[in-house]
Amino acid sequence: MEIPYTVAERPDTGLNNVKLGIWLFLASEVMLFGGLFSSYVLLRVGNAEWPLGAEFLNIPIGTFNTAVLIGSSVTMVLAFASLKLGDLAKYKTYMGATILLAVLFLLVKSYEYWEKISHDHLPSHGTFLAIYWTMTGLHGLHIIGGIAVNGFLWGPGSSMFHTKRDQFINRVEAAGLYWHFVDLVWIFLFPVLYLL
Amino acid sequence: MSGNTEEVKKHIGVYLKVAGALGVGTVVTVLASFLDVALALAVVIALIIALTKGSLVVAFFMHLIEERSRAILWTLALTVTFWFVLMLVPLLTMSDHIGTPKTLPNANAAESHAEEAH
């Protein structure tokens, strides 16, 4: 059975299903992370003493990871543009770079986590550490999800380029929107947790 | 973004410029954190830079600047509204004094007079 509006735009919304679905999903994600940012504010103003991020976290490493994630967002959008130009080889190069940068981000984050654990800076040892682990942990899970989706679209999923090109480009666009959102969250997480 | 080759190439140029701006923004964020200013001002500076970087990502990488679909724009407007409500929760919690015991200045006056009389 053919699902309608996978490529064509729906007459009522002017969007295809993929685009409408991913934007609704991102709206729910904004509320998920918004709830955590709200909790952060509540915990911070409710505490008489709040440590500076630099007391626990490594600013150069955090800055490096920010650059890595922004870089992955750039390669992601270039992968989408390559598909629009009909260049599958370039798409694969850029999408591959996006995945590698995401893995690098996770490796650096894992090193940071390992450093925290070895210094006994666990979530149970303070409110700041609890919210730090929660927010960066949830963000890390989103990175893992993004790697899985992008990995599929880079590998087996890319065969669709030859059979249903428009639908494939829509899928990559949706994956890109998700990936830029993950980058967006980090753009706010970094100063809030590391610098303030 | 349409599939027009010239238009896509023009977009690629914009993406690279935005990438440069995001890199500069990241450096400025870190440098600004070393400024010797009050916490409130530091928060405002950090949020302004983060909002600028975030807007660039949403506008150009997520193509919202050329989005004309009312369904998306209304969804986002509603999301932003409820996001502000979420951010107001800490403020409302701080200003809510219902149930907090309050001692009046002369609340124990009668008892202390009675003690003095003894």
Side-chain angles (χ1 to χ4, degrees):
Chain A
M1 189 187 77
E2 185 75 23
I3 300 172
Y5 308 117
T6 49
V7 177
E9 291 172 353
R10 290 176 63 96
D12 49 357
T13 60
L15 297 164
N16 56 55
N17 286 343
V18 176
K19 210 164 180 186
L20 181 62
I22 193 71
W23 275 109
L24 288 174
F25 172 67
L26 292 182
S28 73
E29 289 280 90
V30 169
M31 299 314 284
L32 173 65
F33 280 100
L36 284 174
F37 275 105
S38 178
S39 306
Y40 170 87
V41 175
L42 189 59
L43 290 171
R44 181 156 188 170
V45 297
N47 267 270
E49 284 181 24
W50 191 264
L52 273 176
E55 289 175 31
F56 287 106
L57 308 173
N58 189 323
I59 294 178
I61 287 182
T63 309
F64 174 75
N65 244 359
T66 306
V68 167
L69 211 53
I70 287 173
S72 77
S73 236
V74 176
T75 52
M76 185 79 199
V77 81
L78 290 176
F80 174 62
S82 303
L83 271 189
K84 282 278 188 182
L85 292 171
D87 193 337
L88 185 65
K90 255 191 181 173
Y91 157 76
K92 285 220 168 193
T93 306
Y94 284 127
M95 187 57 115
T98 306
I99 296 164
L100 285 178
L101 287 169
V103 171
L104 177 62
F105 178 90
L106 277 187
L107 287 174
V108 174
K109 199 75 219 150
S110 304
Y111 169 73
E112 276 193 283
Y113 281 159
W114 172 80
E115 227 183 10
K116 300 283 157 301
I117 292 168
S118 60
H119 285 96
D120 211 21
H121 291 156
L122 298 170
S124 56
H125 289 198
T127 316
F128 171 79
L129 286 168
I131 197 79
Y132 162 79
W133 278 91
T134 307
M135 293 178 96
T136 58
L138 185 68
H139 181 262
L141 287 176
H142 280 74
I143 296 272
I144 292 170
I147 290 173
V149 172
N150 290 344
F152 173 76
L153 292 172
W154 176 81
S158 65
S159 61
M160 208 181 198
F161 179 78
H162 303 291
T163 52
K164 294 177 179 174
R165 185 176 294 193
D166 287 340
Q167 197 176 341
F168 179 61
I169 292 175
N170 284 350
R171 285 185 175 186
V172 173
E173 185 181 17
L177 286 170
Y178 170 79
W179 193 251
H180 300 313
F181 173 78
V182 172
D183 180 29
L184 184 68
V185 171
W186 185 258
I187 283 174
F188 284 93
L189 272 183
F190 172 61
V192 165
L193 293 175
Y194 285 73
L195 303 176
L196 292 175
Chain B
M1 179 169 50
S2 76
N4 181 297
T5 307
E6 282 308 309
E7 200 190 318
V8 175
K9 283 182 178 167
K10 211 182 280 178
H11 269 91
I12 290 174
V14 174
Y15 297 150
L16 296 177
K17 281 179 194 159
V18 171
L22 290 173
V24 171
T26 303
V27 174
V28 172
T29 309
V30 176
L31 292 179
S33 72
F34 291 107
L35 289 175
D36 191 17
V37 292
L39 179 66
L41 187 57
V43 170
V44 170
I45 292 170
L47 285 184
I48 286 174
I49 300 169
L51 273 174
T52 308
K53 287 169 69 184
S55 303
L56 286 173
V57 170
V58 173
F60 296 102
F61 287 177
M62 298 172 90
H63 303 118
L64 202 64
I65 200 161
E66 51 194 47
E67 190 57 68
R68 294 291 170 264
S69 164
R70 284 185 162 206
I72 289 180
L73 298 178
W74 275 109
T75 302
L76 289 179
L78 206 61
T79 308
V80 169
T81 307
F82 280 103
W83 185 84
F84 273 109
V85 172
L86 265 182
M87 290 300 126
L88 276 177
V89 169
L91 192 68
L92 294 173
T93 309
M94 298 292 287
S95 59
D96 175 19
H97 296 297
I98 296 172
T100 307
K102 208 171 186 179
T103 310
L104 294 171
N106 60 346
N108 300 320
E111 282 180 26
S112 56
H113 282 308
E115 280 171 16
E116 278 172 19
H118 280 287

